[in-house]
Amino acid sequence: GQQLNQSPQSMFIQEGEDVSMNCTSSSIFNTWLWYKQDPGEGPVLLIALYKAGELTSNGRLTAQFGITRKDSFLNISASIPSDVGIYFCAGQDAGTYKYIFGTGTRLKVLA
Amino acid sequence: GAGVSQSPSNKVTEKGKDVELRCDPISGHTALYWYRQSLGQGLEFLIYFQGNSAPDKSGLPSDRFSAERTGGSVSTLTIQRTQQEDSAVYLCASSSQEAFFGQGTRLTVV
């Protein structure tokens, strides 16, 4: 199936550290979305980005829509234990309008 | 409803039995996706419906898997002759401008 390249695949960090993850694609996207999935739950939408260069924050989370429209990053500042989970990106293909989802970044925060 | 609703939330079935998983998308969303997620793993694309277009079935792992979407709304994913390797969480998402997920159906084949 179609997937975005998301990195890193997993990471362990100390509480209080900043975290960065990104997604890249060979296709141009109209929209980028970032999700968090807690164990036993479905992914929950965190941030939506609608145009190239857009930088959007949601609390300690900041995401940007790359100017090439082929990438996006998510930063989490001052991580806390409840940030643990799997983070997914998704991009809406500009040609087909289909959403393609990333492979996920598994984040573990060490107290 | 306000969000994507999936049922059942949990399903335990015997190997060889057929199962049906249901997804009620957000009203007005024309696109609907089914994904499979094994424990702690990423999202495995299964099938995509968009309006009245022919569905993208490229992710279905075998001919035991099928899905339909009636009236452009509710979707059913059917797995025939279930195998133990079918055990996973099956997630449905619907989208308009943004995509939203349901809580998933945890399928266990024993």
Side-chain angles (χ1 to χ4, degrees):
Chain A
Q2 298 168 286
Q3 286 182 319
L4 297 176
N5 293 318
Q6 186 171 348
S7 65
Q9 189 173 32
S10 64
M11 55 196 313
F12 286 83
I13 61 167
Q14 291 289 133
E15 183 177 359
E17 288 184 347
D18 295 345
V19 175
S20 184
M21 60 192 77
N22 68 83
C23 284
T24 59
S25 169
S26 58
S27 303
I28 290 174
F29 287 154
N30 287 333
T31 304
W32 281 97
L33 307 176
W34 284 93
Y35 297 83
K36 183 194 177 193
Q37 184 180 30
D38 291 322
E41 305 289 329
V44 173
L45 183 63
L46 298 173
I47 290 180
L49 302 157
Y50 303 106
K51 60 181 182 180
E54 181 179 355
L55 185 71
T56 296
S57 293
N58 178 3
R60 294 179 295 107
L61 278 61
T62 301
Q64 184 158 32
F65 193 142
I67 58 172
T68 66
R69 298 175 66 191
K70 293 182 177 182
D71 63 338
S72 177
F73 72 74
L74 174 71
N75 286 344
I76 305 173
S77 63
S79 58
I80 59 178
S82 62
D83 290 334
V84 164
I86 304 177
Y87 291 80
F88 292 100
C89 64
Q92 186 180 44
D93 187 275
T96 65
Y97 296 96
K98 176 183 176 182
Y99 270 103
I100 312 299
F101 291 87
T103 49
T105 294
R106 288 144 196 80
L107 179 63
K108 298 185 180 180
V109 179
L110 306 174
Chain B
V4 178
S5 178
Q6 291 187 245
S7 60
S9 55
N10 282 283
K11 175 72 176 179
V12 179
T13 191
E14 292 182 351
K15 178 182 173 181
K17 296 287 178 82
D18 298 351
V19 294
E20 285 189 352
L21 312 180
R22 176 186 170 105
C23 174
D24 278 276
I26 293 172
S27 178
H29 280 192
T30 58
L32 187 148
Y33 308 75
W34 281 99
Y35 277 81
R36 179 167 71 175
Q37 187 178 34
S38 299
L39 186 62
Q41 300 301 308
L43 302 172
E44 177 187 1
F45 169 74
L46 297 177
I47 190 167
Y48 164 62
F49 295 91
Q50 173 58 270
N52 294 322
S53 302
D56 176 356
K57 303 180 181 180
S58 60
L60 294 178
S62 77
D63 59 7
R64 296 186 297 105
F65 288 73
S66 64
E68 62 178 22
R69 189 178 185 192
T70 54
S73 181
V74 172
S75 178
T76 302
L77 177 68
T78 301
I79 309 173
Q80 295 178 309
R81 303 180 303 282
T82 51
Q83 304 294 313
Q84 288 184 330
E85 61 263 29
D86 299 334
S87 297
V89 174
Y90 289 81
L91 288 162
C92 174
S94 71
S95 73
S96 177
Q97 187 173 30
E98 298 156 357
F100 295 90
F101 282 87
Q103 289 288 83
T105 294
R106 180 174 300 277
L107 175 66
T108 304
V109 182
V110 297

